[in-house]
Amino acid sequence: MPIANIIRERRRELGLTQEQVARSLGVSAPAVNKWERGASYPDITIIPPLARLLQTDANTLLSFEADLDEETNLAIQREVDRLVREEGYAEGFAYAQEQLRLYPASDELAIVLTQYLDGALTLFQVEDPDRYRSALDKAYERLSQSALPEAREQACGMLIARAMQDGRYEDAQHLLDTIHQPQIDKEERQAILLMRQGRDEEAARRWEARLIRISADLMGAINSIIEIALRAGRVDDARACALRAQATFEALDQPGWMRLAPSLTAAVARQDADETLDLLEQMMASLHGGDTGVLKSPLYRYSDFNDLAQLTSQMGAVMLAGVQADEDYAFLREAPGYGAFLKKWGVR
């Protein structure tokens, strides 16, 4: 890591301003600013006092320390854990801080040790935990700006959780509004935040919408698993997966057509005309208003299903078009009852 980055990050970790650093070293604030931008470098005579001020050493400040390899990273993690368990939290914390000063460029190590020490505060009896908490919070704040996505995302998540725990809902909302990492589950944290604020109806709508989306994702995943099983000739596995899917979607009060979709996938792949027609008949009945269980479900008290009838009717038309045009259904077109099925559902 360049010396400019080390100076900037260590200063921020310690909560120092550029002006404070400048006064301590007897230089101007613009000079410190230039160091941090890489536009100039500290005079060699300033390196020792600068290292002491930033609570590091000259070797680290000048980037003489080798990069941290995976084996050393793991060894440090294991030693922190051993010290905390055998010699106490203070010893493990001190060792961890020393290693982080030794390897200031490794945010991968920093986020792991910060989260471990954070969790250990709860698991172990620690004297005066607040003084450690403050240091950990500063570490999370720095890591929330890390160039390493994994460190940044995890640090942001911890800061949001801490803000909600402390009742600082505006801070939590600000963090939610400003983060852009796709791995941060903003939807989940927004719903939790709404609950903490007593906005239960808004939170319920978000949870219900999430449950509906999860159900749709689950259907896609199970259908794919069934297709893979059928390609491998594992017909019994495919049927078993379809039955499990049906039970799962039934428990989630999802409509009949969704419950039956995996079984239809298996039936079509086996080219079982009788079962395929039977499943299509049940699914069309569900899509055309014969299944209103979701409207009465306690899982979806706040969801608006006003457009459900129109949407499912459109899906029924799409399904019929697929049955008529898709080659996967070619085996069905000569089967007894096929014509009657189409006529019943409006196809001339």
Side-chain angles (χ1 to χ4, degrees):
M1 179 185 285
I3 187 173
N5 292 2
I6 296 174
I7 294 173
R8 182 175 62 253
E9 293 192 7
R10 289 297 302 152
R11 174 181 65 78
R12 289 175 176 173
E13 286 177 15
L14 295 169
L16 299 172
T17 65
Q18 291 182 344
E19 289 76 11
Q20 288 172 320
V21 171
R23 285 198 300 271
S24 297
L25 298 174
V27 298
S28 67
V32 177
N33 182 269
K34 287 182 179 180
W35 298 345
E36 294 190 359
R37 290 188 290 109
S40 66
Y41 298 95
D43 186 272
I44 191 66
T45 59
I46 292 179
I47 294 297
L50 177 58
R52 287 193 295 273
L53 177 65
L54 298 178
Q55 298 181 20
T56 186
D57 55 68
N59 284 343
T60 299
L61 194 60
L62 296 172
S63 303
F64 288 159
E65 187 60 55
D67 290 337
L68 181 63
D69 57 70
E70 183 177 358
E71 184 177 349
T72 304
N73 190 323
L74 292 173
I76 292 171
Q77 294 177 39
R78 286 193 291 267
E79 180 62 10
V80 171
D81 180 59
R82 185 194 70 78
L83 287 169
V84 169
R85 292 177 183 279
E86 297 180 8
E87 300 184 30
Y89 186 90
E91 291 296 324
F93 187 90
Y95 176 79
Q97 296 307 301
E98 177 61 29
Q99 296 306 306
L100 292 176
R101 282 193 288 271
L102 207 63
Y103 299 100
S106 181
D107 284 352
E108 182 179 8
L109 176 66
I111 189 62
V112 171
L113 293 186
T114 302
Q115 288 186 309
Y116 172 84
L117 292 168
D118 194 0
L121 274 180
T122 304
L123 293 174
F124 298 92
Q125 290 186 340
V126 179
E127 185 177 350
D128 191 14
D130 288 343
R131 71 186 182 95
Y132 298 111
R133 178 74 67 198
S134 176
L136 294 173
D137 284 346
K138 287 181 180 178
Y140 282 134
E141 289 170 6
R142 182 189 74 78
L143 288 165
S144 71
Q145 305 299 319
S146 172
L148 182 67
E150 295 82 357
R152 185 172 64 246
E153 292 151 12
Q154 292 174 48
C156 282
M158 293 302 298
L159 289 173
I160 291 168
R162 186 90 79 232
M164 288 193 289
Q165 181 181 347
D166 295 343
R168 295 181 287 108
Y169 300 132
E170 289 187 7
D171 291 344
Q173 187 67 63
H174 175 71
L175 283 164
L176 279 170
D177 291 341
T178 56
I179 60 177
H180 302 289
Q181 298 90 329
Q183 287 81 357
I184 289 287
D185 194 335
K186 294 180 67 173
E187 178 186 58
E188 178 185 52
R189 292 201 167 98
Q190 182 67 76
I192 294 172
L193 177 57
L194 289 169
M195 290 177 66
R196 295 284 180 86
Q197 293 173 308
R199 297 158 66 182
D200 288 350
E201 187 169 333
E202 293 177 71
R205 288 196 187 97
R206 290 179 179 269
W207 287 124
E208 290 175 11
R210 182 183 179 89
L211 184 56
I212 292 169
R213 283 193 292 275
I214 289 172
S215 297
D217 290 343
L218 184 59
M219 180 174 67
I222 294 176
N223 275 336
S224 296
I225 291 171
I226 289 172
E227 288 183 16
I228 291 170
L230 290 168
R231 287 179 190 175
R234 295 183 286 110
V235 177
D236 289 343
D237 283 356
R239 286 175 172 169
C241 288
L243 290 173
R244 283 170 170 75
Q246 186 170 342
T248 299
F249 294 133
E250 184 174 356
L252 293 173
D253 285 331
Q254 292 300 308
W257 65 266
M258 180 178 284
R259 303 175 198 172
L260 298 172
S263 294
L264 180 65
T265 298
V268 171
R270 298 195 314 273
Q271 297 194 357
D272 186 325
D274 290 340
E275 185 174 356
T276 298
L277 276 173
D278 181 57
L279 289 168
L280 285 170
E281 178 71 32
Q282 295 181 62
M283 293 174 74
M284 290 301 295
S286 171
L287 287 166
H288 283 270
D291 184 353
T292 58
V294 68
L295 301 177
K296 303 174 183 177
S297 171
L299 291 172
Y300 312 105
R301 291 298 190 201
Y302 297 95
S303 295
D304 184 1
F305 291 109
N306 289 333
D307 297 328
L308 184 63
Q310 181 180 355
L311 175 63
T312 54
S313 179
Q314 292 172 349
M315 291 180 64
V318 171
M319 179 178 290
L320 282 176
V323 170
Q324 294 176 87
D326 197 326
E327 284 304 306
D328 288 343
Y329 289 95
F331 73 94
L332 194 63
R333 292 168 195 148
E334 300 300 325
Y338 177 70
F341 167 77
L342 293 180
K343 185 176 180 179
K344 176 178 180 179
W345 296 108
V347 179
R348 299 291 185 265

